[in-house]
Amino acid sequence: MPPDFEQLITANHARIRAIARRYADTGCEDDLYQEILEQLWRSFGQFQGKSAATTWVYRIGLNTAMTRLRKTIKQREAQQKLHSFTQAEVVHAERCHAEILQDFLKSLNDVDASVLMMYLDNLSGREIAAVLGVPVNSVEVRISRLKKAFAQRYVEV
């Protein structure tokens, strides 16, 4: 039996906010957050509890974000160019971990950023694959490549 909608939102508030922050244009995070909530509400009656609530929230949240993203693709491409990082960029030691993670997330394409967010939220490879609709092996390869890219960019040898 599916959980109560209010409980579902309360339990997944941080996840929904993280998706909104990652995919919204600067200053529009609240708008995307509200849009995701609206989509969750609209599809809540169809949620049968066959998958984990977290997986379902990610799927609705990411689909909503992707739909909005496609509508504003030209703006998004400009934003990605502004925030992209080169391999030669040096990360200063005094930067906090959250800033480093945010920089890395901004440098990723949308699918890789989604995989990383879910991985950091302790979703299994199977759950991530279910959200994205891709094979589990594909998710595992992406996670491995993300770890390697992060280490090359941010870990001193």
Side-chain angles (χ1 to χ4, degrees), residues 53 96 112 137:
C96 74
D112 285 342
N137 187 43

Side-chain angles (χ1 to χ4, degrees), residues 55-71:
T55 303
W56 180 77
V57 167
Y58 267 118
R59 174 164 248 151
I60 299 295
L62 290 172
N63 284 342
T64 301
M66 292 299 123
T67 298
R68 183 180 179 135
L69 195 58
R70 281 189 286 273
K71 292 178 184 175

Side-chain angles (χ1 to χ4, degrees), residues 7-69:
Q7 289 174 326
L8 180 78
I9 298 306
T10 301
N12 291 282
H13 170 77
R15 288 177 184 90
I16 299 167
R17 278 281 175 206
I19 292 169
R21 272 194 308 274
R22 169 61 178 99
Y23 292 101
D25 292 330
T26 304
C28 297
E29 294 91 358
D30 289 338
D31 292 341
L32 181 55
Y33 178 79
Q34 289 297 324
E35 199 171 321
I36 292 170
L37 288 180
E38 180 183 348
Q39 290 303 320
L40 286 167
W41 175 252
R42 287 182 178 194
S43 56
F44 183 67
Q46 299 165 348
F47 178 59
Q48 299 172 355
K50 291 181 181 177
S51 64
T54 302
T55 303
W56 180 77
V57 167
Y58 267 118
R59 174 164 248 151
I60 299 295
L62 290 172
N63 284 342
T64 301
M66 292 299 123
T67 298
R68 183 180 179 135
L69 195 58

